[in-house]
Amino acid sequence: MLKRLNAVFGVVLRWLVAAATAALVAGCASSFPPAPVSAASSDYRYIIGPGDNVNIVVWRNPELSMSVPVRPDGLIAGPLIEDMQAMGKTPTALARDMEKALGTFIRDPIVTVIVTGFVGTQAEQIRVIGEAAKPQSLPYRQNMTLLDVMIAVGGLTDFADGNRATVLRTNPEGPSQQYSVRLTDLIRRGDVSANVDMKPGDVLIIPQSWF
C-alpha cells in the first residue's frame, strides 16, 4: 500500500513540476512581435509643449524679444501679445503666428522662436513604467533609441524581467500596436542587435521577473 502511494505521489509531483515549468516558459515568452529596428521619421519636427522654455527674438525690436515658459494651459504671453497658443505648434509655426499678431503694432516684424528647455507635448513624450531604476516621462528627440531611453532611466531594477518588456506604440490612423523588446540582452549582455528606434508617444513597459 505504501509503495502504491509513493508511486502515485511521484506521478503527481512530476505532473506538477511539468505544469509549473510549462507555465514559466509560457510566461517568459512574449506573444508580441519584435519591435521594428528602424522607426524614426526623417521629417519629424519638434512640437512645443507645456513646460518648454521658448526664446522669442523680434528682429530690430529688442524690447519685444523675450524668453518665457509655456504655461500648463499651453499659452504664452509677452509685450503686445496676450495668451497666444504655443502648445501643439512647431517653433516655426509659432514664429509665423507671432509675426501676424505683432503686425498690428509694428511694420513687417520678423520673429525667430528657439526652444531652450524641452518637455514636449504629452502625446509625444516617451513613458517608462514598471521595473526601471527611475520610471519617468522623457521628451522625444529625433533618432532616439531604446538604449538612449534606458540610459536616461538608469537601467533595470534587480527584479526586472527585461526580455519580457514591451513597447506600446500609438497609431493615429488605427489601433495601437505592442512589440516585444529584449532589454536584458541589450543592457546586461551588451547585445546591440536588441537596440531599436523609439517613436513619439511610445510607452515602455517593464514587467517584474517571476523568479
Side-chain angles (χ1 to χ4, degrees):
M1 184 66 178
L2 183 59
K3 289 182 179 180
R4 182 176 298 178
L5 289 173
N6 286 337
V8 171
F9 178 76
V11 171
V12 172
L13 182 61
R14 285 194 297 272
W15 182 87
L16 289 173
V17 170
T21 302
L24 286 175
V25 170
C28 291
S30 175
S31 59
F32 300 106
V37 174
S38 179
S41 174
S42 59
D43 61 353
Y44 173 76
R45 295 294 180 269
Y46 183 78
I47 303 298
I48 296 171
D52 285 350
N53 280 313
V54 291
N55 189 19
I56 299 168
V57 179
V58 185
W59 188 52
R60 292 183 175 177
N61 290 272
E63 70 280 3
L64 298 179
S65 299
M66 56 184 172
S67 180
V68 294
V70 180
R71 301 193 317 236
D73 59 3
L75 305 178
I76 60 172
L80 304 182
I81 297 232
E82 290 186 2
D83 294 345
M84 172 169 284
Q85 182 73 27
M87 181 180 69
K89 298 177 181 178
T90 66
T92 300
L94 178 59
R96 300 294 81 80
D97 288 347
M98 293 199 69
E99 287 174 350
K100 292 178 183 178
L102 291 173
T104 304
F105 307 99
I106 61 177
R107 179 179 296 177
D108 299 328
I110 298 176
V111 178
T112 301
V113 173
I114 303 170
V115 182
T116 57
F118 299 92
V119 176
T121 63
Q122 287 188 345
E124 294 208 334
Q125 290 175 359
I126 305 294
R127 292 176 173 82
V128 184
I129 60 176
E131 295 298 323
K134 295 179 290 184
Q136 59 185 290
S137 295
L138 303 168
Y140 175 81
R141 66 176 185 271
Q142 178 73 314
N143 298 320
M144 193 175 203
T145 68
L146 185 63
L147 182 59
D148 296 327
V149 171
M150 292 311 299
I151 291 173
V153 301
L156 300 170
T157 70
D158 293 337
F159 307 103
D161 192 344
N163 280 355
R164 285 181 56 239
T166 59
V167 170
L168 180 62
R169 181 160 293 164
T170 57
N171 182 4
E173 300 178 356
S176 299
Q177 296 174 298
Q178 198 157 358
Y179 299 102
S180 65
V181 288
R182 298 182 288 121
L183 293 181
T184 299
D185 291 347
L186 176 65
I187 301 300
R188 295 179 177 166
R189 296 170 187 157
D191 184 356
V192 293
S193 69
N195 196 23
V196 298
D197 285 346
M198 303 297 286
K199 294 192 71 173
D202 279 353
V203 180
L204 178 59
I205 306 167
I206 308 173
Q208 192 174 36
S209 176
W210 290 31
F211 50 87

